[in-house]
Amino acid sequence: MDLDNKGVAIPCVPNLIVANLDPVTAAAEYRESVIAPYRGKLPDSVISNMEEQLSGSCTIEIAAFNEFSGFITDPEIQEKYDYIIFDTAPTGHTLRMLQLPSAWSDFIGESTHGASCLGQLAGLESKKAVYKQAVDTLSDSAMTTLILVTRPESSPIKEAERASAELSNLGIRNQIMLINGILTSHNDSISDSLYSKQQNALAAIPESLKKLESYMIPLRAYNVSGIENVRALLNKEYSAVSEEKLANNNPKHLSDLIDFLAERKKKVIFTMGKGGVGKTTIAAAIALGLSKKGLKVHLTTTDPAAHLKYVLNDCENIVMSRIDEKAELKKYQTEVLEKAKDSGMTESDLAYIEEDLRSPCTQEIAVFRAFAEIVEKADDEIVIIDTAPTGHTLLLLESTQSYDREIQHTKGETPDSVKHLLPRLKSDETEVIIVTLPEATPVYEALRLEEDLNRAEINADWWVINSSLYAADIQNETLRARAQSEIEWINKVDRHTNGCFAVAEWKTEEVRDSVLEKL
């Protein structure tokens, strides 16, 4: 159905009104409302820097919060509905920012610590009371319940633990947990492996989450979209199987991608995608494939387990290094705060900078600086990196350089290694590979990531569809139906990339087998 941000009645579901809040449009309107007062008063380079600061995920989240604040503070809406359900809650980072005094000042126009997402709230003093009421409503256990939705896998459960702790610390403690997609039957090697993987993850649920009231939803054989399938989510007898056919019966494999990278003499290779899609394993498989061709490879990863060394350390032509994201972020935070303190900022402004330095964009910048140092020292090797910077981060770093040339109070300096790498990313020697899964949300997230890269004039010619059940030898009835439902998304990626994609079949979490068998 076509939806809008006001609310549309769903004909076959009495009493249900659905509103679709477009965060991208909301963020664009929000950005302009903040920057408009400064146009014509500050240099173009400063405006450009401000625009990019307000173009990242943090701003989109603030804009979304701005939209839903209207719903939960409007007396007419409160009177009209018994329940208001939001499918995305603000992060602890956003809520902490809302509570800091400098968030509401004209701080963005007066100072910046460089490459950041500083100033999402500046100039919106009129909204302060509304936002405070919204935060108070979220913290009211008698009025609000937070449902943590996760999957029976280690990474999503850890993310749920982090989100739960952050929100609990802010007073939002009325939480329950829903674990979605649990396999209930297993009768072949792949379903046995998936079942075992899920059960191990469930057995290792952190104590803090075990205390929450929890609910389980079985893995369904169909995509839960459309009224019929949503209703059927609670009916175990229902089975809907996609009839769509694969458009390309001979999709490419990772070996085809590796041949392309070797033939084109690529020197810097990034794998990019949302968390949990397998960027690290794909990066390792590419490293192994290129090394087998006799090419010298430097694989650098942010994988905290560093388990790839057990697969690749014995391989000729491969050097491995690991970026400690927490250590790099701490180093960058310390550098920026020390310079900010030296400039004589107030405690209030320093508190705001400190919170801003906890943003996802800041972590991305800190990690990218570490990657740039490795690339700088590896001129005679192919450098493969398992985390790519977003287009927003690259534009932020570029605009900061331009800003710093005119306004000399930038606090977060751009190292020479980053300055050298930024133009190199747009050259033919760099390849960004987008990794996704054959499901709706990961594909749409990948499309948004690609669009963001295009803003920074970075091309991502290749996609990898990872963990495909369709590409595996499946006997289990539920998983075979799931595999059939993947075809829609494989075809969508095929059309989008003009066939420039590779499919890697689902494997167990054994990294050695996964890397070797993906080739």
Side-chain angles (χ1 to χ4, degrees):
M1 293 184 62
D2 290 327
L3 303 172
D4 58 31
N5 64 349
K6 304 300 180 187
V8 174
I10 307 301
C12 49
V13 188
N15 301 319
L16 178 63
I17 308 294
V18 178
N20 182 35
L21 309 179
D22 180 356
V24 176
T25 301
E29 294 171 355
Y30 189 96
R31 181 166 56 249
E32 186 55 30
S33 71
V34 174
I35 294 174
Y38 300 105
R39 293 193 187 281
K41 298 177 182 178
L42 294 174
D44 289 346
S45 61
V46 180
I47 297 296
S48 173
N49 183 261
M50 289 166 64
E51 285 178 331
E52 196 50 55
Q53 286 184 36
L54 292 167
S55 295
S57 58
C58 300
T59 305
I60 288 176
E61 188 175 314
I62 289 282
F65 184 79
N66 183 49
E67 293 271 348
F68 96 41
S69 292
F71 277 88
I72 59 179
T73 60
D74 187 325
E76 289 186 18
I77 290 177
Q78 294 286 333
E79 187 69 27
K80 187 175 181 180
Y81 298 108
D82 297 311
Y83 294 94
I84 302 173
I85 303 169
F86 293 98
D87 75 352
T88 306
T91 62
H93 167 63
T94 292
L95 295 175
R96 284 193 302 268
M97 267 200 170
L98 289 165
Q99 297 167 354
L100 292 169
S102 280
W104 306 98
S105 71
D106 284 337
F107 190 37
I108 186 174
E110 300 162 5
S111 181
T112 177
H113 63 262
S116 74
C117 290
L118 186 65
Q120 291 91 335
L121 302 167
L124 294 177
E125 183 70 31
S126 63
K127 292 280 190 177
K128 189 172 182 179
V130 173
Y131 287 3
K132 184 180 186 304
Q133 186 183 344
V135 174
D136 289 345
T137 301
L138 286 172
S139 304
D140 186 346
S141 293
M143 187 178 292
T144 301
T145 298
L146 184 87
I147 303 174
L148 293 162
V149 183
T150 188
R151 299 171 87 160
E153 300 170 21
S154 298
S155 294
I157 288 173
K158 286 177 183 175
E159 182 64 20
E161 179 190 25
R162 184 199 61 76
S164 175
E166 270 205 330
L167 294 167
S168 293
N169 291 337
L170 287 161
I172 304 173
R173 299 189 178 93
N174 189 16
Q175 302 176 7
I176 63 177
M177 183 168 66
L178 193 154
I179 303 175
N180 190 23
I182 296 176
L183 184 66
T184 55
S185 65
H186 52 105
N187 55 4
D188 65 3
S189 60
I190 291 179
S191 60
D192 288 346
S193 296
L194 179 56
Y195 180 81
S196 175
K197 177 183 173 183
Q198 289 190 349
Q199 292 303 310
N200 289 338
L202 293 173
I205 287 178
E207 289 300 319
S208 61
L209 294 183
K210 285 181 181 178
K211 296 174 183 176
L212 300 180
E213 184 178 354
S214 297
Y215 299 86
M216 310 283 184
I217 293 184
L219 180 68
R220 294 306 185 198
Y222 49 86
N223 286 319
V224 186
S225 59
I227 295 297
E228 187 179 13
N229 283 8
V230 172
R231 289 189 193 278
L233 182 63
L234 303 178
N235 178 3
K236 64 181 180 181
E237 302 302 325
Y238 177 83
S239 179
V241 179
S242 167
E243 299 296 328
E244 188 166 350
K245 303 294 183 184
L246 197 67
N248 179 358
N249 289 317
N250 190 27
K252 296 180 175 68
H253 300 283
L254 273 182
S255 56
D256 298 307
L257 170 56
I258 290 164
D259 289 343
F260 168 86
L261 296 170
E263 290 166 7
R264 300 298 176 91
K265 296 182 170 55
K266 299 293 182 177
K267 294 289 291 180
V268 181
I269 299 166
F270 290 96
T271 54
M272 182 180 194
K274 290 290 188 179
V277 297
K279 300 185 296 292
T280 301
T281 305
I282 295 298
I286 291 170
L288 194 56
L290 291 173
S291 73
K292 286 181 175 180
K293 292 179 177 292
L295 300 169
K296 291 177 65 178
V297 177
H298 185 132
L299 173 64
T300 183
T301 175
T302 55
D303 176 24
H307 52 206
L308 290 179
K309 65 184 178 184
Y310 301 115
V311 184
L312 303 177
N313 264 5
D314 295 334
C315 300
E316 289 185 20
N317 301 322
I318 295 182
V319 174
M320 280 199 65
S321 61
R322 185 174 79 86
I323 302 297
D324 185 330
E325 290 184 286
K326 289 184 179 178
E328 293 299 331
L329 178 59
K330 183 67 177 174
K331 184 168 75 173
Y332 182 63
Q333 289 171 330
T334 301
E335 174 190 319
V336 170
L337 283 171
E338 284 179 355
K339 291 180 180 178
K341 288 173 184 175
D342 290 343
S343 70
M345 284 186 181
T346 66
E347 287 299 317
S348 174
D349 287 348
L350 284 171
Y352 187 61
I353 285 183
E354 198 163 352
E355 184 54 50
D356 184 55
L357 286 168
R358 296 189 183 104
S359 75
C361 301
T362 302
Q363 177 163 322
E364 200 174 289
I365 287 165
V367 170
F368 183 64
R369 283 160 49 114
F371 284 147
E373 289 178 14
I374 290 171
V375 174
E376 186 93 329
K377 298 172 185 174
D379 283 338
D380 61 338
E381 298 171 320
I382 299 171
V383 181
I384 301 174
I385 302 168
D386 74 348
T387 306
T390 60
H392 167 60
T393 292
L394 298 174
L395 288 168
L396 199 56
L397 289 164
E398 288 182 340
S399 67
T400 299
Q401 288 187 76
S402 174
Y403 176 56
D404 191 33
R405 282 194 287 270
E406 291 193 35
I407 308 296
Q408 292 300 317
H409 62 240
T410 298
K411 304 301 187 296
E413 294 177 356
T414 306
D416 287 342
S417 57
V418 171
K419 293 177 182 176
H420 297 158
L421 182 53
L422 285 170
R424 193 172 179 182
L425 293 179
K426 299 179 184 180
S427 72
D428 290 339
E429 67 179 8
T430 296
E431 189 71 29
V432 177
I433 298 160
I434 291 181
V435 183
T436 188
L437 301 175
E439 301 172 21
T441 299
V443 168
Y444 282 116
E445 286 177 339
L447 287 168
R448 283 195 288 270
L449 286 170
E450 184 187 63
E451 192 174 289
D452 190 52
L453 283 174
N454 289 340
R455 281 199 314 122
E457 299 177 2
I458 306 293
N459 293 322
D461 295 324
W462 276 82
W463 284 40
V464 173
I465 298 175
N466 195 25
S467 299
S468 170
L469 291 168
Y470 186 83
D473 182 19
I474 303 288
Q475 303 301 319
N476 179 270
E477 184 179 351
T478 299
L479 294 188
R480 285 180 69 180
R482 291 287 300 180
Q484 182 68 23
S485 73
E486 292 180 359
I487 293 176
E488 175 185 356
W489 305 105
I490 296 173
N491 285 343
K492 186 176 182 67
V493 172
D494 188 359
R495 290 191 300 270
H496 177 72
T497 63
N498 293 318
C500 203
F501 73 102
V503 177
E505 67 182 85
W506 190 91
K507 293 291 180 186
T508 66
E509 209 166 27
E510 293 298 323
V511 175
R512 178 180 295 276
D513 293 340
S514 184
V515 170
L516 292 173
E517 292 186 37
K518 283 183 188 295
L519 292 175

